[in-house]
Amino acid sequence: MTTIAVIGLGNMGGPMAQNLVKAGHAVTGFDLSPAAIEEARAGGVAIARSVAEAVKGAEAIVTMLPAGKHVRAVWAEIVGIAGKGTLLIDSSTIDVESARAVHAQAEAAGLVPVDAPVSGGVGGAKAATLTFMCGGADAAFNRAKPLLEAMGRKIVHCGGAGAGQAAKICNNMILGISMIAVGEAFVLAEKLGLSHQALFDVASTSSGQCWSLTTYCPVPGPVPTSPANNGYKPGFATALMLKDLKLSQDAAAAAGATTPMGALATQLYGLHAAWGEGGADFSGIIELIRGKSD
């Protein structure tokens, strides 16, 4: 059993903390949201009144926070409290620069950092089937892996500090672009009189097949579990896709990489969010492609 603090008990962090409890660990959490606190408490997570109270005496600390500025602020507080050798895992999706900065800060304080953003959405967090993309030293990764295995199915060591964040934003750039392509194909099929099912049956077994089509099909029917069958209620919201695409473009600019499709996808998801669809699933981008704004 490991004593673990989880900072950030929202849609992702809450279920992750509960899965650590199910795996037999002693978990204390903290969040600013009363609703998130109560849900985590119901799942067996002990609740602290502050970050400081949550992390005091913890052998490992997991953060799941909205953005790089939040991770920087919380880790700055943690490094002054946590004992030397404490494992720090950040599963937020943030910019690579911030990830590298907090790694350096943690290591200077004698702590053991890992960046470990996730893929799999809320469903994966609840089912403990997340994919973790990890950055950090070999020894740090090896310490983190057993804890991550309690929350996920696939744990990948991508390289040094920030490599997990780099892998995450590259993956989600692919996802955002591919969903637009699948949406365009279905809209074209509609105009040509081809049924959704016919296109799915062909493309899902041909060279056009991809995750956006076979698992998350943006039209109702072919994949019953996709958000399209539930009014685009989010598994992964448009606002979160837009956040990740913006991170990809910031990284591309900093690295001198050319990503024209990523840039266009960022613009389209920005427009979709501006239409008031930021809280809807990102696969609802097909409605933008159709020209619907209501």
Side-chain angles (χ1 to χ4, degrees), residues 98-124:
S98 289
R100 290 173 176 167
V102 297
H103 265 264
Q105 184 181 39
E107 288 174 340
L111 308 179
V112 182
V114 175
D115 56 287
V118 303
S119 179
V122 175

Side-chain angles (χ1 to χ4, degrees), residues 7-144:
I7 310 302
L9 299 171
N11 291 334
M12 297 295 291
M16 290 165 63
Q18 292 178 50
N19 283 327
L20 288 170
V21 171
K22 292 174 185 175
H25 300 293
V27 183
T28 300
F30 174 74
D31 198 281
L32 296 175
S33 165
I37 286 171
E38 289 311 310
E39 187 167 351
R41 195 197 308 272
V45 178
I47 301 300
R49 292 170 293 182
S50 66
V51 170
E53 182 180 313
V55 305
K56 188 175 181 180
E59 299 167 83
I61 302 166
V62 179
T63 52
M64 177 59 95
L65 300 165
K69 64 181 181 180
H70 304 108
V71 175
R72 286 177 182 260
V74 169
W75 278 46
E77 183 175 357
I78 288 172
V79 297
I81 303 169
K84 290 189 182 299
T86 301
L87 176 66
L88 269 62
I89 302 171
D90 180 45
S91 288
S92 319
T93 296
I94 63 174
D95 58 288
V96 175
E97 180 183 355
S98 289
R100 290 173 176 167
V102 297
H103 265 264
Q105 184 181 39
E107 288 174 340
L111 308 179
V112 182
V114 175
D115 56 287
V118 303
S119 179
V122 175
K126 291 179 177 179
T129 57
L130 294 168
T131 293
F132 285 89
M133 296 149 271
C134 303
D138 289 347
F141 172 74
N142 290 335
R143 276 190 62 188

Side-chain angles (χ1 to χ4, degrees), residues 54-246:
V55 305
K56 188 175 181 180
E59 299 167 83
I61 302 166
V62 179
T63 52
M64 177 59 95
L65 300 165
K69 64 181 181 180
H70 304 108
V71 175
R72 286 177 182 260
V74 169
W75 278 46
E77 183 175 357
I78 288 172
V79 297
I81 303 169
K84 290 189 182 299
T86 301
L87 176 66
L88 269 62
I89 302 171
D90 180 45
S91 288
S92 319
T93 296
I94 63 174
D95 58 288
V96 175
E97 180 183 355
S98 289
R100 290 173 176 167
V102 297
H103 265 264
Q105 184 181 39
E107 288 174 340
L111 308 179
V112 182
V114 175
D115 56 287
V118 303
S119 179
V122 175
K126 291 179 177 179
T129 57
L130 294 168
T131 293
F132 285 89
M133 296 149 271
C134 303
D138 289 347
F141 172 74
N142 290 335
R143 276 190 62 188
K145 189 176 180 183
L147 300 184
L148 300 178
E149 287 174 337
M151 301 180 284
R153 179 178 292 165
K154 180 76 171 178
I155 320 297
V156 181
H157 190 196
C158 299
Q165 297 295 348
K168 172 66 185 288
I169 61 176
C170 289
N171 177 77
N172 278 23
M173 186 173 71
I174 294 171
L175 177 60
I177 293 168
S178 66
M179 185 57 77
I180 291 170
V182 171
E184 288 186 353
F186 274 103
V187 172
L188 176 59
E190 291 166 0
K191 298 290 187 182
L192 296 174
L194 184 64
S195 73
H196 292 162
Q197 191 65 52
L199 175 58
F200 179 85
D201 289 346
V202 171
S204 64
T205 56
S206 301
S207 55
Q209 71 125 329
C210 60
W211 189 92
S212 293
L213 173 66
T214 58
T215 301
Y216 228 66
C217 187
V219 297
V223 179
T225 56
S226 74
N229 296 283
N230 193 25
Y232 299 103
K233 182 178 179 180
F236 187 59
T238 293
L240 296 177
M241 174 55 76
L242 180 59
K243 170 196 168 185
D244 291 356
L245 286 169
K246 287 180 176 177

